[in-house]
Amino acid sequence: RDFCLSRGLGDVYKRQGESNHGRIAMYEWSAASQTGYDLIWNASADHEEMLGASLSVIDSMYGNSHSDLVALQSNWTDGAGSDGRLSVFAGTPSGLVWEFNLTESTDGTYFGRSMSSGGDLNGDGYGDFVVSNTGSESAPIGYSAIEVFYGSASGFSSTPNNEIQVLSQGRMFGTVVEIIDDINNDGMDELILQELAPLGGALLSGKVHLFHGTPMEDFTSTANWTSEGSMNQRPVSYTHLTLPTS
């Protein structure tokens, strides 16, 4: 088995006059020595982009036997209000290969606030990916959105296949997003997400939205189930647990 380490802030090496590129490194167990791990691949970004601030492993966006990787460049900006960028790496027999970068297609304050890639939302055998574009508890401002990318024989599209755009400011829709195991036994995994300041609710009361997996064309912005907190409660949905079925 292989594993990846990332260092979004700072570098283990420097380019003159630059810093905080961020670096991802991939290791595998040494077949030769049987005593440790060998570095087999690494990647870094440009000055102050902080590649690897967060990582998400995809269960094969191509439907092959290789896992893929999405890495957040947490400090990337286009200077015109678009903050946060994702680098997509495809798994191959010789390691990871950079494919393209993703930037926001929706209106939000920070692209990459939360991301998840641990399942198959439409049951087609390809790994899928969800990312949020929203504020945070420390910066509860702006619009919010989530973007959904479906795996295929040609991998991910460079633009989302589906999205939910929230046009009420300050709701922090998607501060946590998570693909969870199929809970209604229809062969498709589910999407659960947190909204910190739901419309009409108290600030930071929190609301959980659960979306059942569906074919891509049937995706809807209306959750199948929700649960909302109240004043003076810790915001709901900081963590979740999927229980095994008997």
Side-chain angles (χ1 to χ4, degrees):
R1 288 186 178 274
D2 306 326
F3 69 92
C4 284
L5 298 176
S6 66
R7 187 176 182 180
L9 178 62
D11 288 303
V12 295
Y13 64 92
K14 299 286 186 182
R15 300 176 187 143
Q16 187 172 359
E18 298 184 4
S19 61
N20 297 330
H21 311 88
R23 183 172 183 259
I24 309 167
M26 183 177 180
Y27 297 83
E28 70 175 5
W29 182 251
S30 175
S33 69
Q34 292 290 308
T35 59
Y37 290 87
D38 295 329
L39 174 66
I40 61 171
W41 173 88
N42 69 90
S44 62
D46 292 329
H47 176 56
E48 291 295 342
E49 289 184 347
M50 299 185 186
L51 175 69
S54 182
L55 301 176
S56 191
V57 177
I58 305 161
D59 293 337
S60 187
M61 63 181 174
Y62 285 99
N64 53 29
S65 60
H66 304 293
S67 295
D68 311 297
L69 184 72
V70 177
L72 172 63
Q73 298 177 26
S74 64
N75 207 38
W76 181 90
T77 181
D78 68 354
S82 181
D83 298 321
R85 183 168 72 173
L86 305 178
S87 292
V88 180
F89 298 89
T92 72
S94 57
L96 293 168
V97 176
W98 177 84
E99 294 218 318
F100 53 83
N101 292 322
L102 292 173
T103 55
E104 64 180 6
S105 296
T106 50
D107 193 352
T109 55
Y110 188 78
F111 183 68
R113 177 72 62 194
S114 180
M115 52 187 183
S116 180
S117 54
D120 181 4
L121 292 169
N122 58 347
D124 62 357
Y126 298 95
D128 303 322
F129 176 70
V130 180
V131 58
S132 66
N133 186 10
T134 186
S136 66
E137 187 173 347
S138 60
I141 57 174
Y143 298 113
S144 302
I146 65 165
E147 301 185 15
V148 183
F149 298 81
Y150 295 94
S152 69
S154 56
F156 286 161
S157 169
S158 58
T159 56
N161 302 105
N162 281 310
E163 62 187 50
I164 300 176
Q165 177 70 65
V166 174
L167 294 178
S168 300
Q169 295 200 44
R171 288 172 60 179
M172 294 171 283
F173 181 85
T175 43
V176 176
V177 297
E178 190 73 30
I179 299 174
I180 64 173
D181 291 342
D182 178 16
I183 59 175
N184 58 351
N185 297 316
D186 64 356
M188 294 176 282
D189 294 327
E190 331 296 357
L191 172 63
I192 192 169
L193 63 86
Q194 174 183 261
E195 179 182 10
L196 271 183
L199 190 66
L203 180 64
L204 303 184
S205 59
K207 186 174 184 179
V208 177
H209 300 255
L210 175 66
F211 299 84
H212 290 162
T214 65
M216 182 170 62
E217 63 273 13
D218 294 336
F219 182 82
T220 174
S221 61
T222 303
N224 297 96
W225 176 85
T226 62
S227 179
E228 189 169 338
S230 61
M231 291 182 65
N232 302 319
Q233 286 186 330
R234 185 66 179 170
V236 296
S237 183
Y238 272 112
T239 177
H240 80 275
L241 174 66
T242 304
L243 299 177
T245 56
S246 56

